[in-house]
Amino acid sequence: MKRLKHIVLILVLSFICLGGLTSFYVPAESIQIRVFSHLKINEAHLSVYLGTYKVYADGVLVSPCNPGMDFKLSVKNDSVEVYKNGELLGVYQYVKFTSDSGCELKLKLSNPDRKPRVYQDDLGFGTSEGFLKIINDVVLDNYIAGVTEAEAGSRSAMEFYKVQAILARTFALAHVTKHSLEGYSLCDQVHCQAYYGKPKDQTIFKALEDTKGKVVVDENLNLITAAFHSNSGGQTANSEDVWGSKTTYLRSIPDSFSIQMPNARWQRKMLAEDWLSYLKIKHNFPVDDKEARELALNFKQENR
């Protein structure tokens, strides 16, 4: 990426203090997102939602894909069987629906059954471990728009959308090779970032335009680890306590905002022996000492 300029700003969020905002030149190339990545998909239906498409199978143009056409895609051995308007089109290793910019597809899983979603740009279908593997080849900011709604919710404030878009863009660019060995960039679950296709709230696209190319960097102008959460429970964590590596900006701070929000309290239960084993392995805690063991199993913690 070509850096255009550095804006000397300090962006203070509810959970981290950051080095600064930088505008990057972000090309319009696409990013590959595996969708419905948590499901074992046997069958899906596809139709044009906006624009026109072409269907390529194993690299060869096999059909147009116009409004009114229905495509059924299902697993057949280690290949993808494709029906067009109820008639067999063929069986292929990989099928891709491609378009010019601004086009959209409606994807409906039928096995397992899921509500339809609208995806911008291109969709590709292959197989993995006996199930369909679906990849959305999507322009970066179209992906960021979908992430912004999935992570921030609909009908949120414009400034909230802007912050979420900047963080989502930063995370995506910093982790763009996270699933490269599996043939795509990122998945659509919280392992990467939640993404459910095109957002329903169209104001999100205004937030994307207003923050176009902006990412967050540290004091050395490296993309930060743009971690964000649903609820901290009132106190964030130091990066080294979660991931093992220390950063200057992911520091534990009080988070009074989270306390007033849903999911501020949660509970986890584990076997006493598992807890003691964790303390011994991770912290070299003397679990064989009677008093230390008693302390580890009976304590009151006012603050995290």
Side-chain angles (χ1 to χ4, degrees), residues 76-186:
K76 188 176 180 65
N77 299 322
D78 61 346
S79 300
V80 181
E81 185 176 65
V82 184
Y83 279 83
K84 173 183 171 182
N85 291 340
E87 296 186 3
L88 179 65
L89 189 62
V91 180
Y92 312 100
Q93 290 294 306
Y94 192 76
V95 181
K96 188 169 185 179
F97 293 75
T98 67
S99 68
D100 295 327
S101 62
C103 297
E104 301 169 7
L105 291 162
K106 179 180 286 188
L107 177 65
K108 171 72 171 70
L109 300 191
S110 49
N111 184 6
D113 184 50
R114 291 295 186 273
K115 293 180 180 179
R117 294 179 184 174
V118 173
Y119 288 97
Q120 295 175 278
D121 305 316
D122 301 348
L123 282 174
F125 295 79
T127 60
S128 176
E129 300 180 345
F131 299 98
L132 286 178
K133 178 181 177 181
I134 308 175
I135 306 295
N136 185 197
D137 203 341
V138 58
V139 170
L140 176 65
D141 268 8
N142 287 342
Y143 164 67
I144 299 304
V147 171
T148 297
E149 183 172 78
E151 295 284 3
S154 58
R155 298 184 296 278
S156 293
M158 177 61 73
E159 296 305 310
F160 186 37
Y161 280 148
K162 290 180 182 179
V163 172
Q164 182 64 65
I166 292 169
L167 291 181
R169 185 184 293 110
T170 304
F171 183 95
L173 291 174
H175 296 85
V176 72
T177 60
K178 195 170 185 178
H179 285 280
S180 59
L181 294 178
E182 299 159 83
Y184 54 97
S185 305
L186 300 166

Side-chain angles (χ1 to χ4, degrees), residues 17-303:
C17 293
L18 308 171
L21 267 181
T22 297
S23 290
F24 275 55
Y25 167 69
V26 180
E29 281 86 357
S30 58
I31 186 171
Q32 290 72 46
I33 310 299
R34 183 170 181 178
V35 302
F36 292 106
S37 58
H38 62 304
L39 297 178
K40 296 178 178 179
I41 306 169
N42 291 293
E43 184 178 288
H45 286 259
L46 197 68
S47 59
V48 174
Y49 192 75
L50 181 67
T52 59
Y53 282 77
K54 295 178 180 178
V55 186
Y56 286 86
D58 298 335
V60 178
L61 178 64
V62 295
S63 174
C65 180
N66 300 321
M69 293 182 179
D70 173 74
F71 290 82
K72 184 182 78 171
L73 303 102
S74 57
V75 176
K76 188 176 180 65
N77 299 322
D78 61 346
S79 300
V80 181
E81 185 176 65
V82 184
Y83 279 83
K84 173 183 171 182
N85 291 340
E87 296 186 3
L88 179 65
L89 189 62
V91 180
Y92 312 100
Q93 290 294 306
Y94 192 76
V95 181
K96 188 169 185 179
F97 293 75
T98 67
S99 68
D100 295 327
S101 62
C103 297
E104 301 169 7
L105 291 162
K106 179 180 286 188
L107 177 65
K108 171 72 171 70
L109 300 191
S110 49
N111 184 6
D113 184 50
R114 291 295 186 273
K115 293 180 180 179
R117 294 179 184 174
V118 173
Y119 288 97
Q120 295 175 278
D121 305 316
D122 301 348
L123 282 174
F125 295 79
T127 60
S128 176
E129 300 180 345
F131 299 98
L132 286 178
K133 178 181 177 181
I134 308 175
I135 306 295
N136 185 197
D137 203 341
V138 58
V139 170
L140 176 65
D141 268 8
N142 287 342
Y143 164 67
I144 299 304
V147 171
T148 297
E149 183 172 78
E151 295 284 3
S154 58
R155 298 184 296 278
S156 293
M158 177 61 73
E159 296 305 310
F160 186 37
Y161 280 148
K162 290 180 182 179
V163 172
Q164 182 64 65
I166 292 169
L167 291 181
R169 185 184 293 110
T170 304
F171 183 95
L173 291 174
H175 296 85
V176 72
T177 60
K178 195 170 185 178
H179 285 280
S180 59
L181 294 178
E182 299 159 83
Y184 54 97
S185 305
L186 300 166
C187 71
D188 65 346
Q189 300 300 298
V190 294
H191 175 262
C192 294
Q193 300 185 105
Y195 170 65
Y196 309 135
K198 182 183 178 182
K200 296 180 176 63
D201 189 337
Q202 297 303 297
T203 62
I204 288 175
F205 289 103
K206 177 64 166 59
L208 264 291
E209 185 62 31
D210 289 349
T211 62
K212 192 171 185 64
K214 288 186 170 59
V215 292
V216 189
V217 296
D218 63 16
E219 62 273 21
N220 297 314
L221 297 185
N222 296 315
L223 291 168
I224 70 161
T225 300
F228 50 88
H229 53 258
S230 171
N231 196 301
S232 73
Q235 180 81 25
T236 67
N238 294 316
S239 60
E240 64 269 25
D241 297 331
V242 180
W243 296 300
S245 58
K246 185 176 181 178
T247 65
T248 59
Y249 50 87
L250 290 176
R251 302 290 85 208
S252 178
I253 61 171
D255 176 18
S256 59
F257 177 79
S258 282
I259 297 175
Q260 310 302 322
M261 302 301 288
N263 305 316
R265 296 180 181 273
W266 66 90
Q267 185 179 76
R268 178 179 176 183
K269 295 183 179 181
M270 67 178 72
L271 295 174
E273 290 305 316
D274 290 343
W275 170 239
L276 293 171
S277 177
Y278 165 79
L279 291 177
K280 183 176 181 179
I281 294 171
K282 293 292 186 179
H283 302 284
N284 197 29
F285 192 82
V287 296
D288 295 325
D289 179 83
K290 184 177 180 180
E291 290 186 3
R293 184 185 181 94
E294 183 68 19
L295 176 64
L297 294 176
N298 297 280
F299 66 93
K300 187 176 182 181
Q301 184 172 317
E302 297 293 347
N303 300 294

